[in-house]
Amino acid sequence: MEHSSASVPAALPYYVAFSQLLGLTVVAVTGAWLGLYRGGIAWESSLQFNVHPLCMVIGMIFLQGDALLVYRVFRREAKRTTKILHGLLHVFAFIIALV
C-alpha cells in the first residue's frame, strides 16, 4: 500500500543530521582508538587485524544505517531511484565488511 502524499515530520532533517554526525563521530573515535591505543592499521604486518574494527564500524553501522535512512529521507523521489541508492549502500557496506 503506497501513499503518494506521505507526510514528512518537520524534525526529520534534524534527526538525519544528528544521526550522520553521530555516525561520523563513531567512525572517527574508532579510528582514533586504533591509531592512539592499538598502534594504527596496516595491511602487511601484525597490525593487519586492526583494520577489522574500522571496516565493521564503517560498513555495518554507518553505511547500513544510511541505507535504512534512504527510504525516510528520499520519500518524494522516484521509487526506483530510492531502491537503487538503498541497494548500492548495502553493497558498499557488504564489501567493506568483507575486507
Side-chain angles (χ1 to χ4, degrees), residues 55-99:
C55 286
M56 284 309 201
V57 167
I58 292 170
M60 301 304 289
I61 295 175
F62 187 69
L63 289 177
Q64 288 283 346
D66 281 351
L68 295 173
L69 279 174
V70 163
Y71 283 113
R72 291 289 176 199
V73 174
F74 299 117
R75 283 185 176 189
R76 305 214 186 271
E77 299 297 322
K79 189 165 186 161
R80 181 176 174 89
T81 304
T82 307
K83 282 187 168 196
I84 290 171
L85 181 59
H86 177 77
L88 284 173
L89 285 170
H90 276 300
V91 167
F92 289 145
F94 183 68
I95 290 169
I96 290 173
L98 284 178
V99 169

Side-chain angles (χ1 to χ4, degrees), residues 37-55:
Y37 298 106
R38 303 280 297 172
I41 59 175
W43 287 108
E44 299 293 333
S45 73
S46 62
L47 299 175
Q48 185 175 10
F49 183 74
N50 287 353
V51 174
H52 176 77
L54 188 62
C55 286

